Amino acid sequence: MKKRTSQQEQESELRKRAETRLKSQVQVSEEMSNSDIKKLIHELEVHQVELQMQNDKLRETQMKLEESRSRYANLYDFAPVGYLTFDRDGVIREANLTIADMLNIKRSLLINNRFHYYVDREDQDIFYLHRKRIFEEKKAETCELKLKGKDDREWYVRLDSVRVQDSRNNSTCRTAITNITEQKKMENLLIESEERHRKLIETAQDAIVCDVNQVITDWNISAEKIFGYSKREIIGQPISLLIPEKYREEHSEGVRRYLKTGETKIIGKTVEVSGVTKEGVEIPLEISITHQKLRNEKHLFTAIIRDITERKEAIKALEQSEEKYRTLVETIPDIVYKIDENGYFTFLNNSIRNFGYEPEELLGKHFSTILHPDDVNNFSRSVVLEKYSGIKTKEMDTPKLFDERRSEKRMTRNLEVRLVKKNQARAMGDVRERRGLLTSFGEIIATGHYYDNAQSRRRFGGTVGIIIDVTEKIKLQAEMIRAGQLALLGELAAGIAHEINNPIYSIINFAQLIADESDRDNRVHAFGKLIMEEGNRIADLTANLVSLSRSTDGPKMSVPIHELISNSLKLIGMQLKKDHITIKDTISKEIPPLIVNPQEIHQVFLNLIQNARYALNEKYPGKDKDKILEISCNTVFIDDHQYVRIIFYDHGIGIAEEILFKVKSLFFTTKPPNKGTGIGLSVSENIIHNHGGKITIESIWGEFTKVLIDLPVTE
C-alpha cells in the first residue's frame, strides 16, 4: 500500500510539471471552433491513453530491472568467488561480500582501500606485475598469490582479471578471486609426495626403471651405475636397449602375450635375467616388474633391478671353495666322519672304502658298527659313563670318548681304536665272529660341534673328527722294537760267531789232515771230508750271522750275469734233478755284465733257488709237469737308469698275503725249524741293497711266487 501511495504522489507531481510546461508552450486559440476543440480533446485523450500505456510498460520494465538488479546483487555479493574492481593504482572501487568475508573485513572498509595491503609480502611483486599487465596489454591475466586476512589467516587465491571501461570512460580492472587454499595444500602434499618418491628412487640401492609402451621414462642413479647410461642418454630409448640381443625377441613376444592374455613368467615375481651394459657387457640381474594400465591405451611397467654380479661371483667362489673342501675331504687318505648326538653317522668320506664300506651304507648307523667290540666297551659314552657314575675324576682321569661332546679346548686327541673291515666281519651283529678277526688300528682326533637354538643357548649337535689309519705306524713301532732286539741279537751273534770260528777252523784243519793222511778208499778219509763239509757249513752260518751286524764291502768285478746263474744252478743241479724240478733258463748272453761281488750275488741266487725248491716240493711232493722254476733276465729303465732284472718264478705253494710283508724280516720263515733259519732273505736283501739294487716279491697263496732282482748296469 505504501508503495502505491508513493507512486500516486509521483504521478501527481509529474502532472503538475506537465501542465506548467504545457501552459508555457501551447496557447489555445479562442477563435477555435467547437469541432476543432472536440478533435483536439479527442487527440489529447488518445495521447493520454498512450502515455498511460507507456507509463505502465515503463513501470513494468522498472520493476523487472529492480528484480534483475536484486538478483545481480545477490549473485555478486553471495557468489562462491570474490569479486573486486580496482583502478590503476590498485584502489578497490567495488567488492562483494565473499571477498569481505574471506578477509574478515567489512565491505565498506575495503572500498577505496588499496588491495595490496591484503597481499602477502612475498607475493607483492606478483600482484604488481599482474596489475601492470592488465592495464598495459589489454588482455585477460591470471596469477596465484597468498592473501592475509584481518585475523592473520592465510588464503591461497587465483586472480582472473580483465580490463573494462566504466561509464566515464575510465579504465578499471575487474577481478574474480577464487579460493584455492585446499587445492594448494593438495598440490603441496602431492609435490612433497613426489619429492619423497623421487628421493626414494634416486637414493635406492637398486636400479628403478620405468617405461611406457616399452620406452624408458624414468631412470635413477643406481640404474646409471649398473648400466652405464646417463639419464639424458637413456630417457626416450627403447627398453630393449638393456636386453641382450639374443633375448630381445623372446622379451617382445612375452610382452605381447601378457598384454593379450595376461599370461606372464616374470611380472609380479622376482626372477634372474641377463642385462647388457653400455659397453656391451652381459651381466646377471635380479628383477621385479609391476604393470599399470594408463589412459589412452598406454602401459606403464616399473622394474626394480639389482646387479647380482658380486653375488654370483661370491656363490661361484663359495661353490669352488666347497668343491675344493669336498675334493680335499673326499681325497684325504684319513677317514673324515660326523656323527649326531646319539652316535649315528651323518657323514663319511670315501676313505671308509679302504675298510670295505661304502659311505652311504653307514649313514644312519651307529659308530660301533666299525669298531672292535672291546673298544665299544672301552670308549662308548653310554658304557663308559655308567662305569663313572657317582665317581669324581680329575682332568687327567677323565675318560676319552668316541662321541666327544667337549669343546675345541678339550677335544679328543690320539685316541687309538681297532677298526673291523667289512669283508672280515661276515656277521656284523655277531660279536663272537668279530672278536677273532684281524683288525686295523685307527687314531681319532675329534671334537663336539654346537649350534644356537631359539633360546640363544648352545646345544650339542654331534661330533666331527678324523680317523687316521695307524696300522702301519703300530707295525713299524713293533718292528723298531724288534729291530732293537735284533741289533742286540746281531751283536751277540757276531760275538758268538767270533768265538765259534776259531775252534771250527781248527776242526776243519784237523779234518783236512785226517783226510790227507788216509787213503781215499778208507772210511776215515770219507769221515774227514764230511767233517770238513759240516765245518764249512758252520763257518758259512757264522759268517752270515756276522754279516747281519755290519755291511760287507768285498771286492767287486765285472761279471756276466748268465755265468753267475749258471754256476749257481750247477752247484744245486743234482738236488733239483733229484726232486724232478724242471729249470727253464731264458737268459740271453747279450745282457750287459754287472759290477758285483760274485760270491755275494752267488749266495743270493743260491738262497732264492733253495726257497723255490722248497715251495715246489711242498706243492708237488713227487714228479709233476707243473713243477717248474723259470729264471729269466732282461734290461729295464728305472728313473732313466738302466737296470738288469733277474726273475725267479716258481709255481709252488706261494706266500699268504697277510705275511708277505714279513718274509724279508730277520728270522721270519715259513719253513719248519729243521729246514730254515729265517736269515736267508734278510741277508740277500742286504746284499742287493749294498749293490744299489732292490728285491721285490710277488706271490699268491697256492699259485706262485715271483722274486724280482733289479741291479744297476754300471759303466
Side-chain angles (χ1 to χ4, degrees), residues 59-108:
R59 190 179 295 112
E60 182 181 356
T61 302
Q62 185 178 1
M63 290 177 64
K64 290 181 178 180
L65 178 61
E66 287 179 355
E67 290 176 0
S68 176
R69 290 182 64 184
S70 177
R71 287 196 300 270
Y72 168 76
N74 289 335
L75 289 174
Y76 180 76
D77 286 332
F78 302 107
V81 297
Y83 290 109
L84 284 178
T85 301
F86 50 82
D87 58 18
R88 290 179 177 272
D89 297 326
V91 177
I92 299 173
R93 298 305 181 187
E94 294 179 6
N96 69 344
L97 292 177
T98 302
I99 187 64
D101 290 340
M102 185 185 297
L103 298 176
N104 196 22
I105 299 175
K106 291 183 179 180
R107 179 163 54 177
S108 59

Side-chain angles (χ1 to χ4, degrees), residues 675-686:
K675 292 189 178 182
T677 60
I679 64 174
L681 277 178
S682 179
V683 172
S684 297
E685 184 176 43
N686 190 34

Side-chain angles (χ1 to χ4, degrees), residues 48 70 86 143 160 219 242 315 365 422 439 475 481 484 532 560 577 579 607:
Q48 183 179 2
S70 177
F86 50 82
C143 72
D160 295 295
W219 187 262
L242 309 178
I315 292 174
K365 293 187 177 180
K422 179 181 179 181
T439 56
K475 289 179 180 178
I481 296 172
M532 289 173 59
K577 187 175 182 180
D579 294 334
N607 180 70

